[in-house]
Amino acid sequence: MVRRKSLNSILIKPAGPDCNMACTYCFYLEKKKLFANSKIHRMIETILEEMIRQLMSQSGQQVSLVWQGGEPTLMGLSFFQKAVEMQHKYGRNQLVGNALQTNGLLIDKNWIRFLKEYNFLVGLSLDGPEHIHDRYRLLRSGSGSLSKVSDRGKLMLDARVVVNAISVVSDYSAQFPEEIYTFHKEAGFDYMQFIPCVETDPKNPTRAASFSVSGEKFGKFLCKVFDLWLDDFQDNSPTTSVRFFDSVLYSYVGMEPPDCTLLKECGVYIVVEHDGDVYSCDFFVEPRWRLGNIMENRLIDMLNSRRQSEFGKLKASLPEPCKKCSWLAYCRGGCTKDRIRDPRDNGLNHFCQAIKIFFEHADSRLKHLVQEWKKQKASFQEAGNQELFQSKKLSEKKLGGMIHVPVGMASSIRNAVEKHRR
């Protein structure tokens, strides 16, 4: 009997692919082709209300909403105020986590008061210092965006909004792991996520785009950041959070990782576009993986549909080299989309080499961290102070990163966000 999946999280694209920036490596701007009937894409209140009504009635006691884009703040603050009102209206004394991924350009003091009041987790797109961030993260005018993004980030941090730095690792930025890590830390971003970039070259679909990072370069990048992360430990505990390392540690202690790229199968969340159409994953917003529409179908049914199950199983359909790999239990083949963006990979994960380089470098130290964690667990249990241990346990220590991706994202947000009861 197939276990029915619980509706724990959704990823929402309220402004569709619309954005007030023109990042060179953005994969979502091309989705405008799906919605060619209009130049501007905005979720209307009727769809917003139906989506939240269904989510609150069909989910359990914990639920996460991840607001993403494009650029979701194009909807305006009043849209999100209305969304929170509806969460209160339709909530059943549930714990609700809201997360917002943004480039930060439209964030002002009114936004900050709202984000702080309702405990939003903010993922700020920030690639590093100026020569790195401004290489690909451009304004529509063609100029760099770092000064504006950094300013908004500082305002949020000063107001004690929970903010994670989300960095795309490109062919260029992969050369500067220490510079990026130090930049984030000195700016006050203790929670970081590094997303490797691989996209098909639009001018030559037989290869990856020039800004894509190779597996070897990304592997070396991860190793250096891992060493920096370890160097910052105090009393056997991390002082910074790097989402990939946090998620890997879940696997090492035998827990299900919050990052869906490390799961055996995916399809654990669904995406709601501005027009109410629902898709399997934000990397697969395309006709083949359209599950239905919020105004015609139920979220819980679409999550458990045959098509969503088919999508989730794609991840578990691994090429032969993966099945024989000693790191399969931790990697699980990576993200499905990373097997198809560069045709030269022949179905293998574009970052297969990166995974091997990283685990060969980090495996012994990861195992040591797990042993220390288990000793701490045993010590607390022996002392009979289970409540104190629970507050310190590995799975609760981290703030999960925000993902350009996908999500598995939302399960870590439940650990990260201070929640309001709805």
Side-chain angles (χ1 to χ4, degrees), residues 214-224 353-355 357-358:
S214 71
E216 181 181 5
K217 285 186 177 179
F218 184 56
K220 292 178 179 178
F221 178 93
L222 284 176
C223 291
K224 182 59 179 178
Q353 189 177 5
I355 292 297
I357 290 172
F358 170 74

Side-chain angles (χ1 to χ4, degrees), residues 359-373:
F359 281 114
E360 287 167 5
H361 176 80
D363 179 60
S364 62
R365 284 177 285 181
L366 288 167
K367 287 176 178 175
H368 175 73
L369 288 176
V370 169
Q371 289 304 313
E372 291 299 312
W373 177 78

Side-chain angles (χ1 to χ4, degrees), residues 151-169:
D151 175 66
R152 304 311 192 276
K154 185 177 186 305
L155 288 174
M156 287 190 283
L157 288 171
D158 288 347
R160 302 184 68 80
V161 173
V162 181
V163 187
N164 294 357
I166 305 176
S167 302
V168 174
V169 182

Side-chain angles (χ1 to χ4, degrees), residues 91-115:
R92 298 173 290 111
N93 198 34
Q94 291 148 297
L95 294 173
V96 179
N98 283 284
L100 177 74
Q101 184 173 330
T102 178
N103 59 37
L105 297 186
L106 298 179
I107 299 296
D108 58 18
K109 292 181 179 179
N110 291 328
W111 267 103
I112 290 172
R113 279 195 293 270
F114 171 80
L115 296 170

Side-chain angles (χ1 to χ4, degrees), residues 255 373 376-377 380-381 384-398 415:
M255 298 167 63
W373 177 78
Q376 183 187 52
K377 176 181 178 180
F380 279 116
Q381 288 176 331
N385 201 339
Q386 182 67 18
E387 181 179 348
L388 179 59
F389 169 72
Q390 289 296 331
S391 71
K392 292 179 174 291
K393 67 180 181 177
L394 176 71
S395 62
E396 301 291 338
K397 272 185 175 181
K398 326 292 187 197
N415 291 334

Side-chain angles (χ1 to χ4, degrees), residues 224-332:
K224 182 59 179 178
V225 174
F226 180 74
D227 292 345
L228 294 167
W229 177 69
L230 280 181
D231 287 344
D232 282 337
F233 270 47
Q234 294 179 5
D235 299 324
N236 290 320
S237 294
T239 59
T240 59
S241 171
V242 177
R243 178 174 171 77
F244 179 69
F245 306 152
D246 296 348
S247 294
V248 164
L249 280 168
Y250 275 70
S251 296
Y252 268 74
V253 298
M255 298 167 63
E256 187 172 273
D259 187 338
C260 61
T261 67
L262 302 180
L263 296 174
K264 189 173 182 178
E265 292 187 8
C266 56
V268 295
Y269 78 103
I270 48 182
V271 178
V272 183
E273 252 290 349
H274 73 286
D275 60 355
D277 279 352
V278 177
Y279 296 88
S280 295
C281 170
D282 71 323
F283 286 116
F284 291 87
V285 174
E286 53 194 57
R288 180 184 176 187
W289 300 114
R290 181 183 177 275
L291 305 176
N293 187 283
I294 194 71
M295 303 305 292
E296 301 167 359
N297 310 98
R298 299 172 74 234
L299 285 171
I300 189 69
D301 294 337
M302 288 184 279
L303 177 65
N304 286 280
S305 65
R306 180 177 298 178
R307 181 165 297 181
Q308 182 69 346
S309 177
E310 177 189 352
F311 172 78
K313 291 181 185 303
L314 288 177
K315 189 179 189 307
S317 180
L318 299 171
E320 285 303 315
C322 289
K323 297 175 183 177
K324 301 173 183 177
C325 181
S326 58
W327 305 117
L328 177 60
Y330 303 126
C331 163
R332 296 297 181 187

Side-chain angles (χ1 to χ4, degrees), residues 81-193:
Q81 291 170 329
K82 181 63 69 173
V84 171
E85 289 176 14
M86 291 176 181
Q87 290 169 18
H88 282 287
K89 177 180 178 181
Y90 293 108
R92 298 173 290 111
N93 198 34
Q94 291 148 297
L95 294 173
V96 179
N98 283 284
L100 177 74
Q101 184 173 330
T102 178
N103 59 37
L105 297 186
L106 298 179
I107 299 296
D108 58 18
K109 292 181 179 179
N110 291 328
W111 267 103
I112 290 172
R113 279 195 293 270
F114 171 80
L115 296 170
K116 176 64 176 173
E117 180 179 0
Y118 293 103
N119 301 302
F120 271 60
L121 171 62
V122 178
L124 183 65
S125 297
L126 183 64
D127 283 356
E130 185 175 17
H131 73 100
I132 297 170
H133 181 92
D134 286 353
R135 188 174 185 88
Y136 295 126
R137 293 196 60 77
L138 305 174
L139 302 174
R140 286 183 174 179
S141 64
S143 59
S145 61
L146 178 67
S147 60
K148 292 183 178 181
V149 175
S150 294
D151 175 66
R152 304 311 192 276
K154 185 177 186 305
L155 288 174
M156 287 190 283
L157 288 171
D158 288 347
R160 302 184 68 80
V161 173
V162 181
V163 187
N164 294 357
I166 305 176
S167 302
V168 174
V169 182
S170 66
D171 64 317
Y172 181 73
S173 64
Q175 303 172 74
F176 309 101
E178 185 167 7
E179 193 173 345
I180 295 170
Y181 181 89
T182 303
F183 175 84
H184 287 337
K185 201 171 74 165
E186 290 181 349
F189 296 99
D190 294 329
Y191 305 96
M192 312 173 196
Q193 182 176 1

